[in-house]
Amino acid sequence: MAKLLTRRHDLPPTLVRTGLLLVFFASGLAGLIYQSIWAQYLGLLLGHTAYAQALVIAVFMGGMGAGAALAARRSQGWRGLIRAYALVEIVLGIAALLFHGLFVRVHAMLTDQWLGLLPGEVLAEAARWLLGAGLILPQSILLGMSFPLLAAGLIRLQGSERGQTLGSLYFSNSLGAAIGALLAIFLVLPWIGLPGTVQFAGLLNLLVGIAAWVLGSGERQRPPAPHAQPLNETAERGGLLRLVLLATALSSAASFVYELGWIRMLSLAFGTTLHAFELMLAAFIGGIALGGLWVRRRADQFSDPLRAAGWLQVGMGLAALISLAIYADGAFEWVGLLMQGLSRSPAGYAFFNVGTGLAAIIIMMPAAFFAGALLPLLTSLLLRRGHGERVIGQVYAWNTFGAIVGVFAALQLLIPLLGLRNAMLSAAGVDLLIGLALILASAREHPGRLALTAASSVALAGLLIAIGQVHFDPYRLASGVFRTGTDRLGDDLRMVYYRDGKTASVATYESFDGQTRFITHNGKVDASLSMRPGAPTPDEPTMVLAGALPFAYRENVREAAVIGFGSGLTTHTLLADPGLERVDTIEIEERMIEGARHFGHRVERALEDPRSHLVINDAMAVLAASARRYDLIVSEPSNPWMAGVGSLFADEFYRFAASRLSEQGLFVQWIQLYEIDEALVGSVLSALSPHFGDFQAWMANSSDLLIVASLNELPDPELSRLFRGELGIELALVGLTQPEQIRLREFGDRRWLQAITRTLAEPPNSWYYPRLSLEAPRTRFQFSRAERLIRLAEQPPPARRILGIGGTLPAEIRPSRLTHFAAEPATASARSALKELRSGAMAVIEQPAIELLARRSRDCEWLSSNSGQIAWLDAYSSAAESLVPYLGAEYADALGGQGWLECPALPDRIGAALSLASLLVGDDPDALAQASRRWMQLLEHGALPEGLYLSEQAWLAGQAVYLAREDYAGWEDFRLEFIGLVEETDQVRFLEEVLGEYANALLEPAYLP
């Protein structure tokens, strides 16, 4: 290796040129990986607000601009530019290999030590930004130096065809960047995480540096190429240079407005996911690459390159205007077709990404093509006019500084003030004006007004047509087509509010009768509320219980924080407690609060109560900058498939959140069980559980889980005190009027949740291995559900009740008529069925199994036959499946046959069935253990048919009785005696594994909180 690096290699110029283009392709691939991965790293340090996003891009682009300017200023006197470029790549590679370890140390010191010592939030914010900038600015400067150094080195090597050289380099680097965007997110990041991905890019840089060093070994040590022609008077005054640099900066600013605007626009159609973002980024950079490819053989051949640049600029503006027209209707219809036509499978999701990627190409690539052709052409123009090679770096620097202006203009001014459509129209107008200015400058050198007249007419006509004819329909923009497959909200809905914010577009709309209102974040419904009493939406119990449940554990909650405003109902509910002194609600998008104002009285306290403090910022940034320790933190962000949200369900976040709690503080986490699979839920549970001493989970509805966690042991919740005063009113509005209704929703205690977590056996979701961000978009597309977990709540097994988890509604409490939580209407149905069974009156036949059981139970002679008993057991077991999970001890006698089964002598196995079912809902665990053993013995001897629900429950309940006694040996004996007898469904197998993990915990010396 040493000999390879030190010897001189006289390689053919063609081979050197081709090799360097391949090297720069790989460099572009690594560079885009850095941009993508650094953005995720710095998002963890600085947050995901629009301001943070803009500053991250500004640091990155500013560093590149500074590097290009440095290369422009210094490199003219350097010899061996290709080897200088090689050294830049090698240093970049070394820095990348060290980056992750440095970031982790800096982040830990900042959040755990330094921020708590700094007086005031301004200093804390400044410290975060200085450290964040310091982590990527040096590498960004090196990245900025790479293009000017390599371009100038190649031009020195070839001596002519400058335009072809510049275009080829621009093409190869941009093509590598486009591929890097896809490679990073779809392959490398899922495989080796953020640390491995940035190190992969670093190794690539090292290989690039070594290859460039070898290829540059034969570089002629000669001064910069001479001017192609003497400077004329205009060039000497720098008029052309100033015009080109200004045009480059403004064009770059417009391009970044386009890029950010397109990403925001297409996110409304594709969904706000990491996959969609990288597909759009790849389409944009791919267009730039094709522009460089097209111009590389033409840049040196244009007789009037300034006029050609003007027409390219006009073409760019017109292409942007056309993209708006295509997007306004076509993007949503296309995604709707994809959603309706593709299967909900991994392959279907792959085709969905291909389809949305094609849509991004059609919309973004034409304008990006013109942008990609323009920079090499303008640089070549200056070189042809006699400016030295330093203009390569100057043009590149002004291009990056223009990008910074574009980013801040788009995120801070144009999009929030004018909206997406008008921001894009403004950028297109800038491009058209630049094009006309360049054509006008050309006309001064080459007299003739035809080109200027034609360009002006085309530009003006295009802009006026776009302003007059292209409209963004808010009913399309808020449709959430990426979830529903419907490309427009229905005519039965009425738009109340729609605004484009700095980070998201927010809509509030209502049903035509005004009964229900919805608020959406980038097309995804974040909350829905009923504006009139009596018909709460499924979202309301989740938000109300998230705010109410903590008070069942602690009465002295004084200061609380809520992550995610949504509709504001959670904050409104918290403030129903008169003892609460302060609630900080942290929301990243200000438009969400504006949209939520249309929920009026339903969220009034969140908006008007002086104890309510609304903070527009990133949650991590706010909690890290504050020295406050909260008595309660409620984490209720948007869905984890949305880009940036997954970090709030990560191991590192839970560790951090636990450190921000007071000694007796509580942490409440919302977890969706819809549009997600059990593996991802398991990864969240694995992330959360190590950082809290105790926790308990509740179902708010049939697919929303709430976990209440504490650093210390949780007391038994006093649910009755939730129904006092204003808090009780809020609960009543969502159909909860009795403590027992909440007890019915208990999902599990710490031991049960840990057993589920160990059964699922998933690695924790992490900031650095972001499974949720990468995999949840797929589960959303597939309409996945954590089925086995949902079924545990909807059809709770008696085993769970035996272990002290949950309960049934007492007979004197009538279930509500609401259907949000399936176990409550199922309870009403079970009571009705048992009543009909006992009365024999089948007035309304809605449960065929119950009717069949009633008819067959009247025929005692038939019950005495073997075939009759088998058929009866089948019917009774089927009926028990809809009765046992929902009935309490008050119904034990009725389930045991009292009042409906009056045959004088019952066969043994029928008696066993009646006894087992009765005890499964009763409260005599010793008798249940005996009945379960008796049933399993009958099964072992072949006296029972296979596949009975009662057999499954005898097997599970028998184990649970021993576990409730903490009798590991008894559990093991029962299990070993009867294992393999029950025909296991997926649900039974899952519960068996959970019980096994529950049992294993008994062997651990510290299994108690």
Side-chain angles (χ1 to χ4, degrees), residues 5 23 80 106 119 125 218 339 353 365 396 430 455 472 568 681 691 712 789 862 921 931 939 979 1004:
L5 295 176
V23 157
V106 167
E125 191 86 355
M339 291 295 293
N353 282 326
M365 189 170 279
Y396 197 73
V430 170
F472 286 4
V681 174
H691 303 293
N712 305 299
L789 299 180
W862 178 77
V921 303
L939 185 64
I979 192 169
E1004 298 176 6

Side-chain angles (χ1 to χ4, degrees), residues 858-881:
R858 298 189 191 108
D859 191 342
C860 295
E861 183 179 349
W862 178 77
L863 280 177
S864 64
S865 68
N866 182 64
S867 60
Q869 293 170 30
I870 297 297
W872 186 92
L873 286 169
D874 246 347
Y876 183 67
S877 187
S878 295
E881 189 169 4

Side-chain angles (χ1 to χ4, degrees), residues 464-527:
L464 290 176
I465 291 172
I467 292 172
Q469 299 299 318
V470 177
H471 300 286
F472 286 4
D473 180 1
Y475 286 82
R476 282 192 187 279
L477 302 179
S479 65
V481 61
F482 52 85
R483 294 177 86 198
T484 64
T486 303
D487 60 29
R488 192 178 188 277
L489 294 176
D491 294 334
D492 58 338
L493 298 171
R494 180 169 49 218
M495 192 65 61
V496 175
Y497 171 91
Y498 187 93
R499 290 293 298 274
D500 297 312
K502 293 180 179 180
T503 63
S505 299
V506 176
T508 304
Y509 55 86
E510 65 181 4
S511 56
F512 204 77
D513 60 2
Q515 170 70 39
T516 307
R517 287 190 175 174
F518 307 81
I519 189 167
T520 70
H521 178 282
N522 276 352
K524 182 261 166 188
V525 175
D526 260 9

Side-chain angles (χ1 to χ4, degrees), residues 108-129:
M109 286 190 295
L110 183 68
T111 56
D112 296 341
Q113 301 174 24
W114 298 349
L115 289 181
L117 300 176
L118 294 172
E121 295 185 4
V122 174
L123 283 177
E125 191 86 355
R128 289 190 303 114
W129 277 106

